[in-house]
Amino acid sequence: MKTRILLAAVLICANLGVAPAAQEKLSVHLDGDYLRISIPHIDFLRGKPLDRLKDGASVGFIGQLSIMTSPNSLTPVARSVARFALSYDIWEERFSVTKLGQTPESRTSGSHLSAQATENWCLDRLLIDRSQLPADRDFYVQLDFRAESAADQLGIIGDPGINITRLIEMFGRAPRSPQERWLFNSGPFRLNDLKKTEIKGTRG
């Protein structure tokens, strides 16, 4: 029975265009004043995005971390969105990544990273202040991570930085390329039950 249920879930994810990595477990913990997530293997650096990077192109990814009070809610009570620009050094076989902010001063970057370190770097920049979490009821966590197409950039990137409103609007519709989307859901959680660490502690 369990095998049949798992097979059905995989088929549903395939029909929805959700990458197989979505079967990985999404872990949630408190780090100082922030909720952070971790995933053993999100594996978004593969397929067409990786091919484009190895061809010398800069590839954008967009991510949204959402907090909801029911598993089927369409309206998050809190969220964190970000756009990441990645490049690849074919000689060193290492990645560079920049999180683009609303102003040039809010940009952060990492370089000489492995694929796994690059993916972890991006996830570490999607975080939510604990003051925005429900204090006395269950909540659910969703990560929606997508490779960006050239058409997606229109309206998002401007002067001096990215348009957060337009970025949020993008997550309200289906991705242009369903095969380049990674969707994770987990919960329910209680604020007081979350594992607490003090590894990072501040917004990165």
Side-chain angles (χ1 to χ4, degrees), residues 2-134:
K2 290 183 178 179
T3 301
R4 294 169 65 183
I5 293 174
L6 179 59
L7 178 60
V10 171
L11 291 174
I12 290 172
C13 288
N15 291 332
L16 292 175
V18 181
Q23 301 306 307
E24 288 280 359
K25 180 176 176 59
L26 175 66
S27 298
V28 177
H29 67 278
L30 286 177
D31 175 38
D33 292 330
Y34 299 99
L35 177 142
R36 291 184 186 267
I37 60 170
S38 61
I39 303 169
H41 300 285
I42 182 172
D43 292 335
F44 65 78
L45 286 175
R46 58 182 175 81
K48 290 183 179 179
L50 181 59
D51 291 340
R52 285 153 54 195
L53 284 165
K54 290 187 173 181
D55 285 340
S58 176
V59 176
F61 289 86
I62 56 175
Q64 175 173 256
L65 182 64
S66 302
I67 305 297
M68 295 163 290
T69 54
S70 66
N72 299 316
S73 175
L74 299 177
T75 306
V77 296
R79 76 174 99 212
S80 173
V81 295
R83 180 183 184 270
F84 303 96
L86 276 69
S87 60
Y88 182 72
D89 187 317
I90 60 173
W91 304 111
E92 295 187 2
E93 297 184 336
R94 293 284 169 169
F95 297 88
S96 294
V97 55
T98 297
K99 178 188 174 185
L100 304 178
Q102 290 180 281
T103 64
E105 294 76 16
S106 61
R107 296 187 179 194
T108 56
S109 299
S111 61
H112 302 91
L113 302 174
S114 66
Q116 184 69 61
T118 301
E119 294 173 351
N120 291 339
W121 192 97
C122 293
L123 295 186
D124 281 344
R125 271 71 193 172
L126 286 168
L127 68 172
I128 294 176
D129 193 297
R130 66 182 297 167
S131 65
Q132 300 181 49
L133 303 175

